[in-house]
Amino acid sequence: GVGTLVAAEQFETLRAATVEDISGILDLIRPLEQKGTLIKRSREQLELEIHKFYIITRDREVIACVALYNTDDPNTVELACLAVNPQYRGGNRGDKLLKHVAQVAYTQGKSRLLVLTTQTTQWFRERGFVKASVDELPANKKSLYNYQRNSQVLFKQLP
């Protein structure tokens, strides 16, 4: 049927993640970790890094996430762990998260976003990211670069 939904709180919310969201984030990213799309993160690592994550929730369920990590370059921040539940991929949620973290980074005085990706190079390129070489990575990212994963290095200038 056709009807109207009335709710006391927003149906879908983009916000900073909290410790209470860790299980939901793990549920979202585990299948991607198992396929090798995302690097593995332990519960303990997520607990330590939860302040770096932003999520979209729908009916209190985590349906999308992204993280921002500082680099050795004071002008560059890394966008990582971008994931959207497959049931919700049609609603531009990845774009919303990208726009949000770009704004967060910009307000922190950053001028560039970095992403390392093995699967979604085209998606990022369509959103203004430009391919770069491993040599262009900030020192802390270059020293940790995993040549077996063969991630593409992409940068985006912030406004």
Side-chain angles (χ1 to χ4, degrees):
V2 177
T4 302
L5 173 67
V6 179
E9 58 188 56
Q10 265 190 305
F11 189 53
E12 203 168 286
T13 307
L14 192 162
R15 62 176 173 77
T18 66
V19 174
E20 290 78 29
D21 300 311
I22 290 174
S23 291
I25 293 170
L26 286 170
D27 289 345
L28 178 64
I29 66 175
R30 282 294 180 247
L32 296 169
E33 291 174 344
Q34 290 166 355
K35 287 188 343 190
T37 304
L38 293 176
I39 59 166
K40 288 189 179 359
R41 288 170 175 79
S42 66
R43 176 176 281 278
E44 294 76 22
Q45 184 181 1
L46 266 178
E47 288 173 3
L48 293 171
E49 298 177 349
I50 196 65
H51 62 283
K52 300 176 186 301
F53 279 78
Y54 298 88
I55 59 171
I56 295 177
T57 61
R58 184 180 179 111
D59 286 339
R60 298 190 187 118
E61 176 189 355
V62 176
I63 62 166
C65 70
V66 68
L68 268 184
Y69 290 92
N70 285 322
T71 69
D72 285 350
D73 178 346
N75 298 312
T76 303
V77 66
E78 180 186 15
L79 179 157
C81 200
L82 177 61
V84 178
N85 181 313
Q87 295 177 316
Y88 297 99
R89 288 206 179 128
N92 294 321
R93 290 170 186 91
D95 287 308
K96 289 176 189 172
L97 285 170
L98 172 58
K99 183 178 178 184
H100 181 75
V101 295
Q103 184 60 44
V104 168
Y106 185 72
T107 59
Q108 293 174 351
K110 309 295 183 184
S111 59
R112 238 172 30 152
L113 279 178
L114 156 68
V115 69
L116 297 170
T117 183
T118 59
Q119 303 289 315
T120 53
T121 304
Q122 188 60 34
W123 187 88
F124 285 107
R125 295 201 58 177
E126 289 169 1
R127 284 146 184 88
F129 283 79
V130 177
K131 191 172 178 182
S133 73
V134 174
D135 291 335
E136 296 174 69
L137 287 171
N140 66 321
K141 296 300 173 181
K142 192 184 307 183
S143 67
L144 295 173
Y145 184 82
N146 182 340
Y147 285 90
Q148 289 180 319
R149 284 182 57 81
N150 195 30
S151 297
Q152 297 296 304
V153 177
L154 303 168
F155 287 101
K156 178 183 172 102
Q157 288 298 130
L158 296 175

